[in-house]
Amino acid sequence: AKQATNALLANNYGNELAKETEKLKGQRTDNSTYSYSNMAEDYVRAYGNLYDEIVQGYQNGTRERYVEDETSETGYRQMTMEEELNGLDKAFQKAADGADVKEMITNEFQRLSSKAGSKQTSFTNTNKNPQATDKEETIGQKMVTLAQAWKDAYRVSASKDSGMEKVLSMLNDMFHMNKEA
């Protein structure tokens, strides 16, 4: 029963990431404006927290996750740390892709609202792509870059906090200290 329960949890990294991100969002003192930079920071912090939890759990022997395995006598086998970290990476990439979609929809809505606000009767350039140009990274790309920087720093220092210091510095540079991003 324990292995079956753990097997269900093993494929839920997206849910774990979302819960951790919501927890971090709830800890913010100013929830009146939740910018893209706030969202990116919370997702990267959540990623870091979960990554560290997985690594520490394997290092101290307290973490056990199972996946279905038809070749196993019990039908399940214990996951490796690398498998779990890969699952977390996939969930984070999916969240970053979702942030890009949200950014695209928001930008398009703002573009259409500004056109409607100017009382223009026809829309010109309706094929305009509201996502970032080749020179500008999307929110999702920024999130992935930040997570990779955190992971690189974590591998060197084995400290999730020192890695986060680097990420916060990069975050401020990426969003030009503009919390309205």
Side-chain angles (χ1 to χ4, degrees):
K2 178 182 175 185
Q3 290 176 345
T5 301
N6 276 329
L8 291 173
L9 294 173
N11 296 319
N12 258 341
Y13 297 104
N15 288 341
E16 288 183 43
L17 187 63
K19 284 180 188 175
E20 184 69 15
T21 302
E22 280 301 310
K23 182 176 95 175
L24 293 169
K25 181 181 178 183
Q27 292 172 356
R28 290 187 170 275
T29 54
D30 180 17
N31 283 329
S32 62
T33 59
Y34 191 67
S35 67
Y36 283 125
S37 61
N38 295 141
M39 179 185 68
E41 179 183 344
D42 288 348
Y43 266 102
V44 174
R45 279 185 187 275
Y47 173 83
N49 291 346
L50 294 173
Y51 191 101
D52 184 59
E53 181 181 306
I54 292 169
V55 170
Q56 296 302 318
Y58 277 91
Q59 286 178 349
N60 64 28
T62 59
R63 189 164 178 102
E64 286 185 17
R65 289 281 174 99
Y66 294 86
V67 290
E68 289 186 33
D69 183 353
E70 295 174 6
T71 63
S72 171
E73 141 182 337
T74 63
Y76 298 94
R77 68 166 175 77
Q78 189 170 354
M79 293 180 76
T80 65
M81 181 175 72
E82 290 75 23
E83 287 174 317
E84 285 209 59
L85 294 175
N86 285 337
L88 179 60
D89 285 346
K90 287 177 185 173
F92 185 82
Q93 182 62 55
K94 189 173 181 180
D97 293 345
D100 282 346
V101 170
K102 182 178 178 181
E103 177 187 28
M104 181 185 73
I105 291 169
T106 300
N107 289 343
E108 186 65 6
F109 179 76
Q110 288 172 345
R111 185 184 74 80
L112 292 172
S113 294
S114 70
K115 296 274 185 191
S118 66
K119 299 183 183 182
Q120 184 174 349
T121 56
S122 66
F123 294 111
T124 57
N125 194 14
T126 56
N127 294 322
K128 179 183 174 196
N129 184 354
Q131 283 191 302
T133 64
D134 290 341
K135 295 176 186 173
E136 184 182 335
E137 284 185 303
T138 64
I139 297 297
Q141 290 167 332
K142 289 176 182 180
M143 287 171 57
V144 169
T145 299
L146 291 167
Q148 186 61 52
W150 179 87
K151 193 178 351 181
D152 292 344
Y154 182 82
R155 287 179 180 151
V156 171
S157 69
S159 165
K160 71 177 182 176
D161 294 329
S162 68
M164 194 52 65
E165 289 174 21
K166 179 178 180 178
V167 166
L168 292 176
S169 172
M170 288 176 66
L171 181 80
N172 288 335
D173 289 343
M174 284 180 172
F175 290 94
H176 309 292
M177 297 294 291
N178 182 2
K179 296 299 180 183
E180 307 303 315

